[in-house]
Amino acid sequence: MDPETIDLLNAGLEYGKNSDGQFDITVGKLSDLWHFSENDGEVPDNTDIAQVIANIDDAAVVIKDNTVALMNSDAKLDLGGIAKGYIADRMRDHLKEEGITSGIINLGGNVVVIGNKPDGSMYKVGIQKPFSDQNDVIAYVETDEKSVVTSGVYERYFYVDDTLYHHILDLSTGYPAETGLNSVTIISENSVDGDGLSTTCFLLGPDEGMDLIESMPDVEAVFITDDNEIKCTSGVGDSLVVL
């Protein structure tokens, strides 16, 4: 495989370790089962869910030099939880190599800021108000040279009998995670870290997620609960403006 693909896979495996299995790149068949990108209200069968979650285990991914093997034929890789951040980081690196000193990369949910604005001020990166119009922000982060990544239940979801089914799945049950959160925003140096950590913290919930981020240098988080209360780590400070 290409060295960049190896790097991406290794990043996914590392987040699997750091999350105690909450984040797992062998989630592909469970993702296919729910098919949130086109699902307008079909909940998978319990038996099918049980069958696919039994094969979610990234220990089946074996990397040696430039080769990769998936040792379980009943598993499937899905890098959707981390690939966009990796791509955003490579875009930033390329632009900086080409001499760009000021700019913003927005891949939808993944924002990477290069330097300051031309007038020297910081960029303002909005955090969407859950279940509202994309331009309706609940707060914004003032930042430079940082990545701001948000994962939320309002990105891909459907309702059945007034029950919300969203795309952030609890791998122990195979169903959407119920952690009392609407979204998690991660502010970090690299967007790939924001991808992995936003999903991990959502699955851990606000208390454990907060503890994880507080233990990490140069990473901050903003949690929005299911009643739209905002909680943030101690280092966010004045960089977060609540509207």
Side-chain angles (χ1 to χ4, degrees):
M1 288 213 172
D2 186 282
E4 288 192 332
T5 306
I6 299 289
D7 288 345
L8 179 56
L9 288 166
N10 277 323
L13 294 173
E14 186 65 22
Y15 273 103
K17 294 176 184 176
N18 293 341
S19 69
D20 292 328
Q22 297 277 4
F23 185 97
D24 196 305
I25 60 174
T26 60
V27 71
K29 289 197 174 181
L30 183 62
S31 300
D32 289 349
L33 201 59
W34 282 94
H35 200 43
F36 276 100
S37 61
E38 297 181 9
N39 193 335
D40 58 2
E42 183 177 350
V43 178
D45 182 78
N46 285 335
T47 302
D48 292 336
I49 289 175
Q51 184 176 353
V52 296
I53 65 173
N55 292 289
I56 296 174
D57 184 357
D58 61 16
V61 182
V62 178
I63 299 175
K64 184 177 181 181
D65 299 325
N66 66 336
T67 64
V68 179
L70 182 59
M71 306 305 292
N72 182 357
S73 60
D74 291 320
K76 182 179 178 180
L77 292 176
D78 180 354
L79 299 174
I82 201 168
K84 192 191 292 186
Y86 185 86
I87 292 166
D89 290 336
R90 301 291 75 76
M91 291 174 68
R92 174 201 59 200
D93 295 344
H94 172 71
L95 291 172
K96 293 181 79 169
E97 287 170 3
E98 293 296 317
I100 300 299
T101 59
S102 179
I104 188 165
I105 300 166
N106 186 354
L107 300 186
N110 290 67
V111 174
V112 177
V113 170
I114 301 173
N116 292 318
K117 291 182 179 180
D119 64 5
S121 63
M122 290 189 175
Y123 285 94
K124 296 177 181 179
V125 181
I127 299 174
Q128 184 178 341
K129 184 177 182 180
F131 300 104
S132 296
D133 183 81
Q134 192 172 26
N135 294 321
D136 187 5
V137 298
I138 194 170
Y140 64 83
V141 177
E142 292 187 309
T143 188
D144 59 357
E145 289 294 343
K146 292 283 188 178
S147 161
V148 181
V149 175
T150 300
S151 291
V153 300
Y154 52 86
E155 294 170 349
R156 293 188 297 278
Y157 67 92
F158 60 83
Y159 281 96
V160 175
D161 297 329
D162 295 325
T163 298
L164 172 70
Y165 294 89
H166 61 80
H167 76 290
I168 305 177
L169 302 173
D170 181 339
L171 304 189
S172 65
T173 67
Y175 285 87
E178 297 180 10
T179 58
L181 291 170
N182 272 340
S183 73
V184 177
T185 297
I186 300 294
I187 306 156
S188 58
E189 295 293 331
N190 294 308
S191 195
V192 68
D193 295 328
D195 263 355
L197 286 171
S198 61
T199 302
T200 297
C201 287
F202 189 98
L203 293 167
L204 290 173
D207 295 332
E208 288 187 54
M210 189 86 71
D211 290 343
L212 173 62
I213 299 302
E214 294 285 17
S215 72
M216 305 180 74
D218 302 320
V219 180
E220 303 297 339
V222 179
F223 299 82
I224 300 178
T225 67
D226 54 11
D227 57 1
N228 281 350
E229 179 186 355
I230 296 177
K231 300 180 178 181
C232 57
T233 49
S234 58
V236 171
D238 294 336
S239 65
L240 179 70
V241 178
V242 179
L243 301 175

